[in-house]
């Protein structure tokens, strides 16, 4: 029996908005990044051309059993980061707790509303012991949190919208720090 494998070969468009003097400034599409990966029948992702996107791998993840509103589940995933923007992609494990919070309509489609929370943890220290030896050799540690809301199509299981509130800091061996605080919005169209 041959398991189906789906291959994605395309672009991820990155749009950035910044806040300057309390005003949002839309700089439009910042970059178009090539990505090639395959997904097996169990949802496992293998990168064939890794340029950092998708940055979340194995996310979202859904339980195998039927659940009701208020139920939660946990799953592992991988997050790829390049805080310096120099093409030095570092992968880190993330442990996500999901909660089915309700249902609603989104773009005329019925969707499940799911909350997902996880921590950013990288390096060595209290409760953390992980390093990506193929990643940025100058990244010493990372910490922070994510709180996301997902709209998942009830018919197809596709994640149509993910809004992720981020507060995290990346620390480098030379003592410099890069902090991200704000919202990441991911829209998909299948």
């Amino acid at each position: 029996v041959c398991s189906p494998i789906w291959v994605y070969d395309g672009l991820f468009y990155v749009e950035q908005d910044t806040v300057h003097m309390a005003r949002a400034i839309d700089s439009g599409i910042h970059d178009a990044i090539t990505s090639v990966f395959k997904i097996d029948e169990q949802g496992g992702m293998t990168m064939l051309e890794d340029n950092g996107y998708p940055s979340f791998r194995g996310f979202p993840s859904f339980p195998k059993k039927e659940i009701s509103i208020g139920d939660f589940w946990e799953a592992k995933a991988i997050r790829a980061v390049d805080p310096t923007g120099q093409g030095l992609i570092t992968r880190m494990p993330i442990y996500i707790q999901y909660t089915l919070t309700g249902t609603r309509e989104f773009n005329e489609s019925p969707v499940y509303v799911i909350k997902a929370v996880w921590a950013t943890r990288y390096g060595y220290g209290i409760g953390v012991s992980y390093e990506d030896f193929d990643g940025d050799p100058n990244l010493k540690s990372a910490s922070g949190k994510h709180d996301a809301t997902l709209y998942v199509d009830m018919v197809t299981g596709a994640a149509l919208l993910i809004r992720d509130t981020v507060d995290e800091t990346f620390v480098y061996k030379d003592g410099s720090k890069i902090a991200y605080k704000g919202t990441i919005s991911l829209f998909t169209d299948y």
Side-chain angles (χ1 to χ4, degrees), residues 2-190:
C2 184
S3 297
I5 294 179
W6 295 274
V7 175
Y8 175 86
D9 183 346
L11 298 171
F12 279 76
Y13 295 100
V14 180
E15 179 180 324
Q16 293 183 327
D17 294 337
T18 58
V19 176
H20 179 69
M21 298 180 77
R23 288 186 21 204
I25 300 169
D26 181 357
S27 61
I29 292 179
H30 177 70
D31 212 347
I33 299 170
T34 301
S35 184
V36 183
F37 57 89
K38 63 183 178 180
I39 300 176
D40 65 27
E41 188 175 51
Q42 288 75 37
M45 180 182 287
T46 303
M47 298 304 298
L48 302 175
E49 184 175 336
D50 193 350
N51 293 311
Y53 284 86
S55 56
F56 296 106
R57 299 158 186 194
F59 171 82
S61 181
F62 306 109
K64 294 184 189 294
K65 63 179 180 133
E66 188 173 319
I67 60 170
S68 301
I69 293 174
D71 288 349
F72 72 92
W73 65 98
E74 295 178 345
K76 295 178 187 178
I78 298 290
R79 178 154 176 246
V81 298
D82 180 12
T84 64
Q86 296 177 348
L88 299 170
I89 300 156
T90 302
R91 288 149 295 276
M92 58 186 70
I94 53 176
Y95 303 93
I96 305 161
Q97 182 180 34
Y98 298 92
T99 304
L100 178 60
T101 60
T103 61
R104 64 172 289 185
E105 291 270 323
F106 178 73
N107 289 343
E108 300 179 12
S109 296
V111 296
Y112 295 108
V113 180
I114 300 170
K115 293 290 285 180
V117 295
W118 67 93
T120 300
R121 298 287 181 262
Y122 181 82
Y124 296 97
I126 299 172
V128 182
S129 60
Y130 178 79
E131 184 176 355
D132 177 6
F133 294 104
D134 293 324
D136 185 343
N138 297 311
L139 180 59
K140 179 180 176 184
S141 66
S143 62
K145 63 180 180 175
H146 291 252
D147 186 349
T149 301
L150 296 73
Y151 289 179
V152 177
D153 189 289
M154 286 184 182
V155 176
T156 65
L160 302 176
L161 169 65
I162 300 173
R163 290 193 50 89
D164 178 14
T165 302
V166 178
D167 186 358
E168 62 189 354
T169 302
F170 298 89
V171 179
Y172 288 83
K173 291 179 180 173
D174 66 2
S176 63
K177 295 180 182 181
I178 297 175
Y180 287 118
K181 187 170 187 166
T183 303
I184 299 169
S185 297
L186 172 67
F187 299 89
T188 56
D189 187 14
Y190 295 87

